[in-house]
Amino acid sequence: MLAKFFIFLTLSCALLQAADKPKEQDVEMLAKTVTKDGDVAHAIGNVVVYSPQYLITADEAYYNYVTGDLELFGNITMLEGVNYASRSGHSKLNLKTKKGTSDPLFFFDESSSVWLKCENAVLDAETYITQKSIVSSCNTQDPDWKIVFTTGEFNKESKWMHLYNPVFYAGDVPVFYLPYFAFSTDRTRRTGLLRPDFGMSSSEGLYYMQPIYFAPAVDWDLELRPQIRTNRGEGLHATYRFVDTAYSKGEITTGYFKEQSHYVDEENLKNDAHYGFHLQYDRSALLSTQYSQIQEDGLWVDIHYLNDIDYYNTKDNEDTTYDKLAVSRLNYYIKQEQDYFGFYTKYYIDTSKNSNKDTLQELPTLQYHRFTSPILWDNLLYSVDYQAKNYTREEGITALQNEINTPVTFYTSFFDDYVHASASENIYMTYVSYGEETDGSYLKHYSNYHRFNLFTDLSKSYDTFFHTMYIGLEHTVPSYSKTEGTQYKATFTNAVTSEDMIPLDLEEKNTAFQFKQFFYDMDGEKKLSHSIKQAYYYDKEYHYGDLENDVKYYINGHLYVGDTVHYSHHYDQLSRNQISVTYQEPIYQVSLRHTYVDRTYEHNTEDKDYSYVTLYAETAYWDHFTLFSAINYDVEDDLFKSWSLGFKKVKKCWDYSLVYRDSNTPKQTTSTNGIDSVNKRGVMLMFNLYPMGSFSYDFKTESEQKQ
């Protein structure tokens, strides 16, 4: 019977579209037998009643053409609009007032897949009021979950369902009772309460956050997230999202969290309040839509401000950060056919420092780039790159750097394009003027170098595979170099990793060999990739640079293994090694990676070894069931930065997940180094009932970790 009901629903959609039209139409009745007695028509057998709002079928019907009263008997199916359908054994309905009764009633909302069964219902134009009812979105026979309630009301205009004295069942087992519960079947964007978040922590107490969502217009919305942690404090965060043009979007997030005084003392926190601000704005066409001479332009704004790292860690119960450095950027570029103009800014907030007055900022960097273009002949090419960088800070040495790179390249090929060659002359100049605190100090550098390339790019098809190969030799010869002035040393901790305050683009005499090859099967699927690079430096104390070797073997369409090795000839050992295994298919996903970086690695800027393992694994081998795990382990410090293990059960009408997490997150303290960490571990249980939303319970314990 249920299958016939849905078939009838599908076949009637086109007719119901016409029924939505506001034009007045007469009521029509069709049946095997129709008789009329005064104002009342009596229809028996395969009855079909059509009105501007309803399409109804039944075994028998009485209709009064004057009053609009319609009484139906037996196998009644009623379609109302394109979303609502119902089944009943006996119904009374006035087609003029839209009021009536049904007993019993089965109601279905097609847009949300929610159904309702009740012993009797009172109907009107906007609401269904039901008695002794069951609601669910699962299968009608033996649903996985259901809610049984004494009285309920469904508003067809607001799409809210209100339940009184509901009892929640998992299968046939009652789980818990509430005096009142309400949910919306509307999936459209609208103002209202979002899913609350709550949990329990041994040190922070009960955690509860209730997001409030405002959507007054199609081009902006606002989300407020008040929260309380009973043993720690209270806070409020807000996010404003907007779309101001067809080419842009943005969001502004800000917040404030106030600590309780006893928690500040117990945890030795530096600040009793944490606040911050984050602005993101992306616009792909700022001026190019107004000026035809601009081919392309774009604006990217990413601004961060915070007083300490706990601003991130108190935004909600999930957000954590391990990076002590917050970087703000404001970038804009204009691109024409051959020219590129860029404006960039970087502002650093180092949360491990008590003050950022001596942190060097890049405000701003200006760039002009001329793309590679022919000069005099088609195979004689040049490009230009100019940058002006302003390094500034409140305390300490500041600098303004002008930098230019100009390569001129001659390209040709031999032996029917089997061998390619190029020779380039590269000019590099920079001038640095330091701030007033240095009494007019400056740094001037000029250099040029020659670069020669000889390479071949070959491919060949075999009986069972296809092979491509690149072999290249690059020889760089510095020609002239002169430096005047002072190079100050860096005494700050931010993204500038060079020991010199102003890094110079210096080339050393070297010859580099590079080899790349790829193997494909006859279906075009990659099977093996391999590259190797070795540089020889003529003027270094030890001539050989690190040997770089990268191999990836694609065992099949789902599994590949890779190994990237840097071998130091100087120290006769591996300076960097990263091994990865990746497997991915619809029911399995595994990614395992181990990275080792030795202090001898030429790009390691700190006198420290690094060794860490990352793992993510997920399987959906069992129907509707997913098991997952993630690990981030620091081998050198013998410390799990974070790890988690959990599972998720997914069905058509609901899902639930159970996760155990353990993580170490930094916090700002009054200790000597300013940063300690907190180890948080606990379980989270989450249920999601479609379309009602989800609820979760999060329990954590915490312990302090000294750095």
Side-chain angles (χ1 to χ4, degrees), residues 202-215:
S202 59
S203 64
E204 298 183 359
L206 176 65
Y207 163 80
Y208 179 79
M209 182 177 69
Q210 176 59 70
I212 308 169
Y213 183 68
F214 300 92

Side-chain angles (χ1 to χ4, degrees), residues 241-313:
R241 306 175 187 90
F242 61 92
V243 176
D244 56 333
T245 71
Y247 312 100
S248 59
K249 62 180 179 179
E251 68 177 47
I252 301 171
T253 299
T254 186
Y256 181 87
F257 188 90
K258 177 65 175 177
E259 302 278 9
Q260 297 177 10
S261 57
H262 71 88
Y263 189 87
V264 176
D265 296 336
E266 291 171 2
E267 299 297 324
N268 193 30
L269 296 182
K270 175 187 175 183
N271 300 308
D272 63 355
H274 318 292
Y275 49 86
F277 171 87
H278 183 204
L279 166 64
Q280 277 190 330
Y281 183 74
D282 182 14
R283 179 156 182 170
S284 59
L286 185 62
L287 300 176
S288 56
T289 56
Q290 304 176 32
Y291 301 97
S292 58
Q293 61 268 36
I294 298 177
Q295 181 182 7
E296 179 185 329
D297 73 331
L299 174 67
W300 169 249
V301 181
D302 186 16
I303 305 297
H304 294 263
Y305 172 76
L306 66 161
N307 71 325
D308 65 32
I309 200 168
D310 269 322
Y311 167 69
Y312 291 133
N313 297 330

Side-chain angles (χ1 to χ4, degrees), residues 94-255:
N94 187 287
L95 297 181
K96 294 182 178 180
T97 64
K98 310 297 187 297
K99 295 182 178 181
T101 60
S102 287
D103 54 278
L105 175 72
F106 176 88
F107 171 79
F108 179 73
D109 179 3
E110 190 274 336
S111 63
S112 63
S113 298
V114 169
W115 56 263
L116 179 149
K117 291 196 297 185
C118 65
E119 292 188 3
N120 54 74
V122 178
L123 320 176
D124 64 26
E126 293 186 359
T127 61
Y128 283 14
I129 299 176
T130 66
Q131 303 289 331
K132 298 181 179 179
S133 310
I134 300 174
V135 67
S136 181
S137 62
C138 300
N139 295 329
T140 56
Q141 301 296 325
D142 299 324
D144 291 341
W145 67 264
K146 61 187 177 183
I147 304 175
V148 178
F149 54 98
T150 58
T151 306
E153 177 182 321
F154 177 68
N155 190 301
K156 293 180 287 185
E157 298 297 325
S158 66
K159 297 186 178 181
W160 271 91
M161 187 169 287
H162 303 267
L163 314 180
Y164 298 91
N165 301 310
V167 179
F168 292 77
Y169 282 78
D172 293 325
V173 179
V175 179
F176 61 90
Y177 162 83
L178 290 174
Y180 169 78
F181 180 71
F183 66 93
S184 174
T185 64
D186 190 2
R187 300 293 91 193
T188 59
R189 174 177 170 270
R190 67 198 184 281
T191 297
L193 298 179
L194 301 181
R195 176 182 66 85
D197 189 14
F198 59 90
M200 179 70 70
S201 168
S202 59
S203 64
E204 298 183 359
L206 176 65
Y207 163 80
Y208 179 79
M209 182 177 69
Q210 176 59 70
I212 308 169
Y213 183 68
F214 300 92
V218 296
D219 57 351
W220 70 274
D221 58 46
L222 175 66
E223 182 181 344
L224 301 178
R225 297 182 299 279
Q227 62 164 293
I228 182 172
R229 305 176 190 230
T230 55
N231 292 343
R232 181 171 183 177
E234 302 81 29
L236 173 65
H237 294 78
T239 299
Y240 170 72
R241 306 175 187 90
F242 61 92
V243 176
D244 56 333
T245 71
Y247 312 100
S248 59
K249 62 180 179 179
E251 68 177 47
I252 301 171
T253 299
T254 186

